[in-house]
Amino acid sequence: KRLVHAHGYRSDEHLNLMLLADEFGFRVATLQHGLEAYKIAPEIAKHGTGVSIFTDSWSYKLEAHDALPYDAYILWKNGVVVSINSDSDERMRRLNLDAAKVMKYGGVPEEDALKMITLNPAKQLGIDKRTGSLEVGKDGDLVIWSDHPFSVYSHPEVTMIEGEVYFDRAKDIAGRADLQK
């Protein structure tokens, strides 16, 4: 009844866990930090397991030695539900740019790249009926960008959480101008 999310980097660790899941009758929902998951993409897809990855943390430590920028593409191409994550609160704020990287490295279509930071994580957590996409009846937070959200030149203009405006760049700029007077 529980969703199993397993942290690991290497494909042999992930494959062994899925084999144990088969043996003991449980399902692995998501392989976290699957930097080598591309090596076993068909097996992951067969198990219906998702993978949560970094987009560009290659060779920063021994367990990440075989990571490559095409991980998300290879997994996606094999039918795996892929999400993009970050362990850094600094980088987490830029997952939109990480989604753009999967378009560059492999050519994942724009809509599927966007799902890797919206709907797919919700699917992996089992909460996609409630959040992850903008649909009637779902909880949805919204950011309005100055330009395409995958552009490094774009910035948030308005942020709404549960229908309430939490940030409005125009009002913020006007407010700062008033303070300077």
Side-chain angles (χ1 to χ4, degrees), residues 64-116:
H65 179 66
D66 282 349
L68 50 88
Y70 297 93
D71 190 17
Y73 168 74
I74 294 168
L75 291 164
W76 168 82
K77 192 74 171 168
N78 278 274
V80 175
V81 174
V82 180
S83 67
I84 299 169
N85 74 60
S86 173
D87 285 349
S88 160
D89 56 354
E90 179 63 28
R91 296 216 35 216
M92 189 181 316
R93 297 181 299 144
R94 294 173 179 81
L95 291 180
N96 56 314
L97 300 179
D98 284 349
K101 292 172 190 174
V102 302
M103 293 172 59
K104 176 179 174 59
Y105 296 108
V108 173
E110 183 177 296
E111 184 175 343
D112 290 330
L114 182 61
K115 286 179 182 177
M116 290 181 187

